[in-house]
Amino acid sequence: MVAALLSFRYRVGEPMPVWRTLLSVDDDDAGLWTRVRQGDEVALAALFDRHEARLFRHASRLLTHREDAKDAVTVAFFELWRKRVTVRLVDGSPLPWLLTTVAHCARNLERSSRRYRALLDRAPVAEAVPSAGHDDSGVLSALKRLPEREQAVVVLSVLEGYAEREVAEALGIPAGTVKSRLARAKAKLRDELALEGVRA
């Protein structure tokens, strides 16, 4: 049931059922989350409908391929369902947790993709085809090279606009740690971009 509900949004050209639209309008995240924790798959589908587009945009920033971004979002929702008892909410919403999980999934998919490309590079072929990226400035590439814990802080606070208190709550760390990781990450990004000749 969960797989069917989550895969629904990616079928192009099919109308959305009315009951899912009404659920998304009637319940806030906290109300839906209470139902998800009780095992309500329909409430999970409503959360998916509400946040899927934002999560997809986030994944698309971190990944080169659209299909990988879709996979990262789907995996994040499966993890949300699987870990629903222990998920940390911020102001009653699982969105910060989902954003962080999508970033983790994106990193894993990117690693797998790199291993796959390395394997293809070693295979005897006439000509290798380079993969097309969409980050001309190098900023996203530099972000991907940050350590995972610093990257999570940058994504939530800078890219998604959450306050330090909310980032701390979502990641389960003190607010002071958020501040120091963010400062360290910004300094690394500034230095790396300066070396590449990009104005930060």
Side-chain angles (χ1 to χ4, degrees), residues 36-154:
V36 167
R37 287 198 61 171
Q38 295 166 351
D40 186 342
E41 293 175 348
V42 174
L44 178 68
L47 274 175
F48 181 85
D49 287 342
R50 178 172 291 164
H51 298 303
E52 175 258 336
R54 183 172 181 183
L55 293 167
F56 178 74
R57 283 192 306 275
H58 176 53
S60 295
R61 285 189 211 120
L62 301 173
L63 291 160
T64 307
H65 302 287
R66 179 180 173 83
E67 293 304 314
D68 286 346
K70 289 180 183 179
D71 289 346
V73 173
T74 302
V75 169
F77 272 95
F78 275 116
E79 287 298 297
L80 181 72
W81 178 257
R82 193 171 69 83
K83 298 179 177 179
R84 62 189 180 273
V85 175
T86 59
V87 168
R88 290 188 191 106
L89 303 185
V90 174
D91 294 332
S93 175
L95 182 60
W97 187 93
L98 283 165
L99 288 163
T100 302
T101 304
V102 164
H104 290 304
C105 293
R107 270 190 300 280
N108 290 339
L109 287 166
E110 195 67 29
R111 261 187 236 119
S112 297
S113 181
R114 274 197 307 271
R115 284 194 297 267
Y116 179 69
R117 284 193 305 271
L119 180 64
L120 288 180
D121 288 345
R122 288 194 303 270
V125 291
E127 188 175 317
V129 179
S131 62
H134 51 269
D135 177 25
D136 295 333
S137 69
V139 174
L140 291 179
S141 297
L143 176 63
K144 290 178 194 176
R145 288 190 291 272
L146 285 175
E148 186 175 322
R149 59 189 187 175
E150 289 175 9
Q151 190 180 111
V153 170
V154 171

Side-chain angles (χ1 to χ4, degrees), residues 153 164-165 167-169 171-181:
V153 170
E164 285 177 5
R165 175 193 62 80
V167 175
E169 196 174 331
L171 298 177
I173 57 177
T177 303
V178 170
K179 191 175 288 206
S180 62
R181 284 184 189 174

